[in-house]
Amino acid sequence: MKALITGATSGIGKAIAQELSRKGWSLILTGRSETALEELKETLPVPVETIALDLAENQAPFTLYEFCKGKHVDLLVNNAGFGVYGAFTDTALQDELELIQVNIRTLHILTKLFLRDFKKRNSGRILNVASSAGFLTGPLFSSYYASKNYVVRLSLAIAEELRREKSRVTISILCPGPVNTGFNDRAGVQFRIKALTPEAVAKEAVFGAITGKLLIIPGLMMRVGIAASHLVPEQILSRILYHVQAAKKPE
């Protein structure tokens, strides 16, 4: 079995690579740093291919797909993504455009191209890494929350299409809360609640994807929180979330 993982050099992506390798999966890994990819490759006890790409570049997802052609990928893990913190009028437009490229455009392209191949052979799995943010509105983190809403809604729609077609192909959505990764450093925030480890999230993610689970939400408290959020009017919830996001600003 072979998996392709984007954003594989750190955080959840790296932990998923390690978890799959323990289960004997061969891997194709991509990230921006060739050095980091090679260092990770040396630690994994399975066949690993690497390709260094910046998925914020227009051609990168197509280059990645071509690289994987003929290699019989069984699992696509769309993990690459990042956040931009601040009031919408204050954040840098270029940063947000790159966020849209990576979090939405690249994920969309890879999902479509690999899903077409999976459907033709009637086998294959996709794991799209979203976030608990994918169910919410995020003042001060608006672009990131919006991008993860896109991932959740796109994936849910695809799942229903596959179900109606009685396809053996599955799509799963990973929706963790705070995870102790480099994400908060790049976004310039600090979590004020206890974060899960990437390893714990990866274990649930891999099990869920392999078994075809649609929604994977690690942690009981996060599952309860997401369910409870649907009981609160949107305007009030947005006000609450503003204060939650404001508390993330480094002192």
Side-chain angles (χ1 to χ4, degrees):
M1 304 294 280
K2 183 175 291 185
L4 165 63
I5 306 172
T6 69
T9 57
S10 63
I12 295 173
K14 181 178 180 179
I16 288 175
Q18 292 167 333
E19 179 70 15
L20 285 169
S21 73
R22 284 191 285 270
K23 295 181 179 297
W25 285 60
S26 58
L27 303 169
I28 302 173
L29 307 178
T30 187
R32 292 183 298 169
S33 170
E34 185 172 355
T35 300
L37 286 169
E38 289 302 314
E39 288 175 353
L40 176 58
K41 177 180 178 178
E42 292 301 314
T43 69
L44 299 175
V46 293
V48 178
E49 294 180 78
T50 64
I51 176 171
L53 290 168
D54 184 351
L55 294 178
E57 297 179 357
N58 282 340
Q59 193 59 32
F62 299 102
T63 300
L64 180 57
Y65 175 71
E66 290 299 321
F67 180 82
C68 295
K69 266 193 171 179
K71 297 180 178 178
H72 198 94
V73 171
D74 300 285
L75 170 63
L76 165 65
V77 181
N78 277 313
N79 168 72
F82 66 95
V84 175
Y85 180 83
F88 184 72
T89 52
D90 296 338
T91 47
L93 178 58
Q94 185 57 40
D95 290 346
E96 291 171 323
L97 292 177
E98 291 183 6
L99 179 152
I100 291 167
Q101 285 276 97
V102 176
N103 294 18
I104 296 177
R105 182 178 181 271
T106 290
L107 179 141
H108 183 110
I109 291 168
L110 293 176
T111 297
K112 181 176 285 286
L113 295 179
F114 279 94
L115 184 59
R116 285 172 171 171
D117 291 343
F118 290 171
K119 285 180 66 176
K120 284 177 185 176
R121 69 182 197 227
N122 200 28
S123 70
R125 304 190 185 281
I126 296 173
L127 174 62
N128 283 339
V129 178
S131 166
S132 57
F135 301 99
L136 302 166
T137 301
L140 300 179
F141 235 153
S142 57
S143 298
Y144 175 74
Y145 272 59
S147 73
K148 293 306 183 181
N149 271 264
Y150 183 92
V151 174
V152 169
R153 294 302 163 189
L154 176 71
S155 303
L156 288 173
I158 292 169
E160 177 60 15
E161 292 172 3
L162 292 171
R163 187 190 70 82
R164 288 180 176 272
E165 293 165 3
K166 295 181 171 58
S167 175
R168 294 174 60 194
V169 179
T170 64
I171 189 165
S172 301
I173 317 162
L174 177 62
C175 301
V179 183
N180 188 18
T181 70
F183 171 88
N184 49 334
D185 293 330
R186 184 169 184 184
V189 298
Q190 294 177 348
F191 294 128
R192 301 300 183 183
I193 61 175
K194 186 177 180 180
L196 297 174
T197 66
E199 293 74 20
V201 172
K203 190 171 184 178
E204 286 201 43
V206 168
F207 178 79
I210 290 174
T211 57
K213 186 176 181 179
L214 177 54
L215 280 174
I216 306 166
I217 306 173
L220 176 60
M221 291 304 296
M222 189 53 59
R223 291 193 289 273
V224 171
I226 289 172
S229 71
H230 297 300
L231 304 176
V232 181
E234 279 290 338
Q235 191 173 30
I236 294 174
L237 185 59
S238 291
R239 292 173 183 173
I240 294 169
L241 288 167
Y242 178 92
H243 292 290
V244 171
Q245 301 306 329
K248 293 178 179 178
K249 187 175 181 180
E251 296 175 355

